[in-house]
Amino acid sequence: MVKNARDSRSRQVRESSSRRRPERQRAVPSHVGQRAEKSRAGGGRRRAVLRLVLVITVVVLVVVFGPLAASLGALLWRRILEAFGLGLILLLIALGVLVRLIWSGFGPLLRHWNVFLGAGLLGAAVWGVLGFLRPAGSIFWTVTLGGHVGAAIAGPTEVHGALVVSALLVVGLILVAPKPLLRSVQWLFRPRPARRPAPFSHGSTAPSAASRSVLPEVEEPVQEEKAAERPAAKPVLKAPAELPDLPVEKRFRFGKKEKEAEAPSPAVPAQLERAREPVVTVGGWQIPPVDVLDKPKEIELNREEMDKRARLIEEALDSYGVEAKVVQINAGPTVTQFGVEPGWLRKFRKVVDDVGEERQEETSRTRIRVDRITALSNDLALALAAPSIRIEAPIPGKSMVGIEVPNSAFGAVSLRSVIESSAFQKAQVKSKLAIALGKGAGGESVTGDLSKMPHLLIAGSTGSGKTVCLDSIICCLLMRNSPDDLRFLLVDPKRVELVAFGEIPHLAAPVVVEPDKAVKVLHWLNLEMDRRYREFAKAKARNIEAYNRDRSPGEAMPYLVLIVDELADLMMAAFDEVEHTLCRLAQLARATGIHLVVATQRPSVDVVTGLIKANFPTRISFAVTSQVDSRTILDTVGAEKLLGRGDMLYLPSEAGRPKRLQGTFVSDGEMERIVQFWAGQRRQEKAIVNLEEMEGTGGAGQKIPVIDPMLVEARKLAAEHEQISASFLQRKLRIGYPRAARIMEELETEGEMEDAQQQQQQPPPAQET
């Protein structure tokens, strides 16, 4: 029994020691190690003997058969030169292309078969040209530079050879580059009429106000006649400066967005050709050509710097234990987006083989989580020496994470570069209210449709680019619409921003700068919306497109766009009225062609309320000061990391995540030229809205008093109760006290007028005799 107890205690001690030292590996027996050392030593001696025998054999073969091999090689080389000549170089190039296709796949051959076939014909033509040459004093004297093959292509006579080579050249060029060849032929045979001075250009100044007032009827026909005589300029389609043509074969594959943005559709040149000429509408208005806008400036991007930043991103992530690889680079005007593909988190273990050598064996691997990359945003900004970076995880439609790094040199996006893009050309065919917003992080042009938004809310701190965005939207709409199609209502509490558009004939009323008049404009818009719905009911039309479908320009109903530069001033002047009327317009005005574009520099909850946010699904946020402001306008963070100067986040109604853009820029000179172009066509027409009176004017010309919509409900409450007050109306109608007090005053005025009428209708009392 004592022996069994001792054995059990020793067994427990061994088990506890093995649990305490799990990392100790099994010891290798000594006889196994000695056999392994002897086998390694014997193997080394055998390898040395084999190497010595191989060297001796090679030396003997070179000494014995060297002269014979040299003579045979010289004879073979002479026969090859006589057969192929310098065309051997073309054969080597073709062989290299074939090896590359075999290595990477035959996809390029299937997609661009005409290019490969044309290149082969061009090579045959060059080989035939070499067949005409016989240099004296060389091996090619008996044959030609093209060898026997080149002589066979050239033919027996020089005339036959010239015809064959010319045919090969022409067919090869047609297959390789058909479009440039066709454009060159058209340019050669195009008639060239004499040029005349253009009626309106960048350098010319618009006619003065005095000349317009003296000769308003003679000036327009002269301009139209000159525009008709001016020859059509051939559009030169240049790739934008922000979109370099970067090779795909590099390690860092540049995105397809750039090529899509650069390559215009086949229909774009014809549309641009028409856009450069003045277009006259049915109503007699002349649409400004695209030449009134400045041409985009070319900006070169440093590819070496982008490659260096890509390597820095990989090294920084690897230093924090995150395996990742930059697989795509999208260069934009302000930021460059690096597409990062997350790697794997691998686990290894040590394995000892039979000879006692240790090696690492992979046991499992899992994909790196996206949260680990997004958590390193500040560390990446430190490694790249950038003020701030934004991480988009993941990029919509792609299995990669986008890291947006600011460029060392910022590039402005001109309005003309976006208007001439294929994306905007397609958008303006579908809608009259297409607007150019800017370019994305990958350099692609981004457009919007105001009729589908249908209202736009813009926010950002001072100097971030809100007013420039409003100017760009107005100029973009002026480039495509006449006053018969579109009317503006501009509210500018700052008094210095939107007043530049005071001379255009599109204004339904003069530019509003007083907050009390802005409230009247909102009331008039509500009444105009109700009037339009009544007209739609009479015409049995559902919306403004159906109403205007079969009507002339004089009878058609124009779109109405209200643009407010600063919402905070209006909210401080009349909070309840502005919020109520804005929300009612945003809810109901879409079908009537009334659209709202509202901007504010204070995106706080007391200005951008929950009701306003709910009715403005499309929003744009420029740089803000805090995450709270970003959440207020976009319901997400990110706007506090923007760089300013037009850098914005665009949240369309159909998208669940904002997209980073560089907004379009319109200079003061471009705005002045557009305003002067339209001011020269201004007609003596009465304004639709008369802000000097307390009454609004309807679209048909009848007087419509500005009445509070809640006044009818207040009359019902007054009829149901014997006594009412302003606080009673405030509780029952759920409105503010100032509005309730004004309704109470109107009710008192109506009551006094009724009492006076009743006293007048009563007969006078009979006099006592």
Side-chain angles (χ1 to χ4, degrees):
M1 181 179 296
V2 176
K3 184 178 181 181
N4 293 335
R6 190 184 302 111
D7 293 339
S8 63
R9 282 197 301 270
S10 61
R11 197 163 43 248
Q12 291 176 1
V13 170
R14 284 197 301 271
E15 290 177 356
S16 61
S17 61
S18 62
R19 285 196 299 268
R20 284 195 302 267
R21 295 189 298 272
E23 67 278 2
R24 178 175 296 179
Q25 299 180 357
R26 180 170 53 90
V28 181
S30 60
H31 63 277
V32 175
Q34 292 175 3
R35 285 201 303 269
E37 291 178 0
K38 290 180 180 180
S39 62
R40 282 197 295 268
R45 287 193 294 270
R46 284 193 298 270
R47 284 193 295 270
V49 172
L50 290 176
R51 291 194 189 106
L52 181 59
V53 171
L54 181 60
V55 170
I56 293 173
T57 304
V58 170
V59 171
V60 171
L61 290 176
V62 169
V63 171
V64 175
F65 299 101
L68 180 61
S71 61
L72 290 176
L75 180 61
L76 181 62
W77 176 247
R78 182 181 181 86
R79 293 290 184 266
I80 291 174
L81 287 180
E82 290 178 355
F84 301 105
L86 295 183
L88 185 62
I89 301 175
L90 300 176
L91 287 178
L92 293 177
I93 294 174
L95 182 61
V97 173
L98 181 60
V99 171
R100 178 59 185 264
L101 290 175
I102 294 173
W103 182 264
S104 60
F106 290 92
L109 179 61
L110 298 177
R111 290 193 299 269
H112 307 288
W113 61 269
N114 56 329
V115 177
F116 286 93
L117 181 58
L121 294 178
L122 291 177
V126 173
W127 208 336
V129 171
L130 294 176
F132 289 109
L133 305 178
R134 295 175 180 269
S138 64
I139 191 176
F140 301 108
W141 173 248
T142 56
V143 289
T144 61
L145 280 179
H148 295 298
V149 177
I153 295 174
T157 61
E158 294 183 357
V159 177
H160 179 269
L163 292 176
V164 171
V165 170
S166 301
L168 291 174
L169 283 174
V170 172
V171 176
L173 288 175
I174 290 175
L175 290 174
V176 171
K179 293 182 180 179
L181 187 63
L182 180 61
R183 286 197 294 267
S184 301
V185 173
Q186 291 177 352
W187 180 80
L188 288 175
F189 295 100
R190 186 187 63 184
R192 293 177 175 81
R195 292 187 177 180
R196 297 189 180 184
F200 189 85
S201 60
H202 298 292
S204 61
T205 57
S208 61
S211 64
R212 288 198 301 268
S213 60
V214 175
L215 299 173
E217 299 180 356
V218 180
E219 194 173 30
E220 292 181 5
V222 171
Q223 287 182 355
E224 294 177 4
E225 182 180 358
K226 289 183 179 180
E229 294 176 356
R230 183 174 61 184
K234 186 70 176 177
V236 180
L237 295 177
K238 284 188 176 182
E242 299 87 354
L243 309 176
D245 187 11
L246 300 175
V248 183
E249 292 80 9
K250 279 194 171 184
R251 178 186 179 279
F252 302 118
R253 179 170 54 87
F254 289 82
K256 297 181 180 179
K257 296 179 182 179
E258 302 173 4
K259 296 187 177 181
E260 293 174 359
E262 287 180 0
S265 63
V268 171
Q271 294 175 359
L272 292 181
E273 185 73 24
R274 293 193 298 268
R276 294 176 189 275
E277 297 296 331
V279 179
V280 180
T281 63
V282 180
W285 298 97
Q286 198 174 15
I287 303 298
V290 75
D291 290 334
V292 300
L293 300 175
D294 295 334
K295 294 183 178 179
K297 298 180 181 179
E298 298 182 357
I299 298 177
E300 296 182 358
L301 295 178
N302 192 352
R303 301 182 188 177
E304 296 181 358
E305 182 181 357
M306 289 189 288
D307 294 345
K308 180 181 178 181
R309 288 189 171 185
R311 289 191 295 270
L312 287 176
I313 290 174
E314 291 182 352
E315 293 173 0
L317 292 175
D318 187 50
S319 64
Y320 290 101
V322 177
E323 180 185 351
K325 184 178 181 182
V326 177
V327 296
Q328 185 175 353
I329 299 177
N330 297 322
T334 304
V335 297
T336 299
Q337 186 184 65
F338 295 88
V340 177
E341 183 180 7
W344 300 91
L345 182 62
R346 296 178 173 85
K347 294 183 179 180
F348 298 91
R349 67 175 181 178
K350 293 182 180 180
V351 178
V352 180
D353 55 10
D354 296 337
V355 296
E357 294 182 354
E358 295 183 356
R359 58 185 177 86
Q360 298 286 338
E361 182 181 5
E362 183 179 344
T363 58
S364 64
R365 64 173 184 172
T366 56
R367 181 70 76 175
I368 296 291
R369 297 183 60 183
V370 177
D371 297 340
R372 295 188 60 185
I373 299 178
T374 56
L376 298 174
S377 58
N378 295 331
D379 302 302
L380 290 174
L382 178 64
L384 296 172
S388 63
I389 64 171
R390 179 175 175 266
I391 298 179
E392 186 177 13
I395 300 176
K398 296 182 180 179
S399 59
M400 61 182 70
V401 178
I403 299 178
E404 298 172 356
V405 183
N407 295 333
S408 56
F410 289 177
V413 177
S414 63
L415 180 61
R416 180 170 178 173
S417 64
V418 182
I419 286 179
E420 291 181 343
S421 65
S422 59
F424 185 81
Q425 298 294 330
K426 295 176 182 177
Q428 72 177 0
V429 172
K430 299 178 182 178
S431 174
K432 293 182 179 180
L433 300 183
I435 55 177
L437 296 176
K439 291 187 177 181
E444 73 281 1
S445 299
V446 179
T447 61
D449 187 1
L450 193 58
S451 61
K452 293 182 180 179
M453 286 183 179
H455 312 291
L456 180 61
L457 180 62
I458 304 174
S461 59
T462 304
S464 58
K466 298 185 308 300
T467 305
V468 176
C469 181
L470 293 178
D471 295 339
S472 175
I473 292 174
I474 296 174
C475 291
C476 187
L477 294 175
L478 290 177
M479 291 293 294
R480 296 295 303 169
N481 298 278
S482 66
D484 294 335
D485 302 327
L486 176 66
R487 290 299 182 97
F488 285 105
L489 285 169
L490 305 181
V491 179
D492 184 16
K494 298 179 182 178
R495 302 173 182 264
V496 293
E497 301 294 349
L498 300 181
V499 293
F501 299 97
E503 297 183 4
I504 60 175
H506 297 72
L507 293 181
V511 180
V512 180
V513 295
E514 299 291 341
D516 54 346
K517 293 183 179 180
V519 177
K520 295 179 184 178
V521 168
L522 294 177
H523 283 302
W524 180 86
L525 273 178
N526 276 274
L527 297 175
E528 176 67 14
M529 178 184 65
D530 297 334
R531 186 191 71 82
R532 291 192 174 194
Y533 272 121
R534 289 193 294 269
E535 294 291 333
F536 291 169
K538 293 179 183 178
K540 296 182 179 179
R542 296 183 59 186
N543 48 37
I544 190 172
E545 289 84 3
Y547 183 83
N548 293 337
R549 188 168 297 157
D550 300 326
R551 298 181 183 273
S552 61
E555 299 177 355
M557 193 175 291
Y559 288 93
L560 279 173
V561 178
L562 171 67
I563 296 182
V564 180
D565 191 17
E566 185 52 58
L567 179 62
D569 290 347
L570 302 184
M571 298 294 281
M572 287 189 296
F575 179 85
D576 296 318
E577 297 182 28
V578 171
E579 183 185 21
H580 174 75
T581 51
L582 274 180
C583 292
R584 188 170 186 270
L585 286 171
Q587 291 169 357
L588 303 175
R590 175 180 182 177
T592 61
I594 299 176
H595 303 280
L596 312 178
V597 180
V598 181
T600 180
Q601 67 178 1
R602 198 179 70 188
S604 54
V605 292
D606 57 342
V607 176
V608 184
T609 61
L611 285 175
I612 293 178
K613 284 176 58 178
N615 293 284
F616 283 79
T618 305
R619 306 166 202 162
I620 290 177
S621 176
F622 291 89
V624 295
T625 56
S626 64
Q627 292 185 1
V628 177
D629 295 342
S630 178
R631 290 185 183 276
T632 302
I633 185 65
L634 295 176
D635 296 328
T636 183
V637 297
E640 73 280 357
K641 295 183 179 181
L642 297 178
L643 306 175
R645 292 185 291 182
D647 191 16
M648 66 181 183
L649 290 177
Y650 170 55
L651 179 62
S653 57
E654 66 274 5
R657 185 177 298 178
K659 184 176 183 179
R660 189 169 188 174
L661 305 179
Q662 176 64 28
T664 54
F665 175 76
V666 181
S667 63
D668 294 338
E670 292 174 319
M671 290 172 51
E672 185 178 356
R673 287 194 291 270
I674 295 175
V675 171
Q676 288 178 356
F677 187 93
W678 282 111
Q681 308 178 56
R682 194 170 183 178
R683 303 171 183 175
Q684 297 295 331
E685 295 182 355
K686 188 176 181 181
I688 298 178
V689 187
N690 189 1
L691 298 178
E692 299 298 331
E693 302 177 359
M694 289 297 295
E695 293 178 349
T697 305
Q702 72 273 14
K703 295 289 184 177
I704 302 176
V706 179
I707 302 174
D708 196 305
M710 290 294 179
L711 185 58
V712 179
E713 300 292 333
R715 289 171 182 166
K716 294 180 181 179
L717 291 175
E720 295 174 358
H721 300 80
E722 295 181 357
Q723 294 182 355
I724 60 173
S725 63
S727 59
F728 176 79
L729 294 178
Q730 182 182 5
R731 293 193 305 272
K732 292 294 183 180
L733 300 180
R734 297 181 180 179
I735 58 177
Y737 183 80
R739 186 178 181 185
R742 283 193 295 269
I743 294 176
M744 189 66 191
E745 292 176 358
E746 293 181 5
L747 292 177
E748 291 175 353
T749 304
E750 292 178 357
E752 292 176 358
M753 293 176 62
E754 291 178 359
D755 294 341
Q757 291 177 0
Q758 291 177 1
Q759 290 178 4
Q760 291 178 2
Q761 292 177 0
Q762 290 178 358
Q767 296 181 358
E768 297 180 357
T769 59

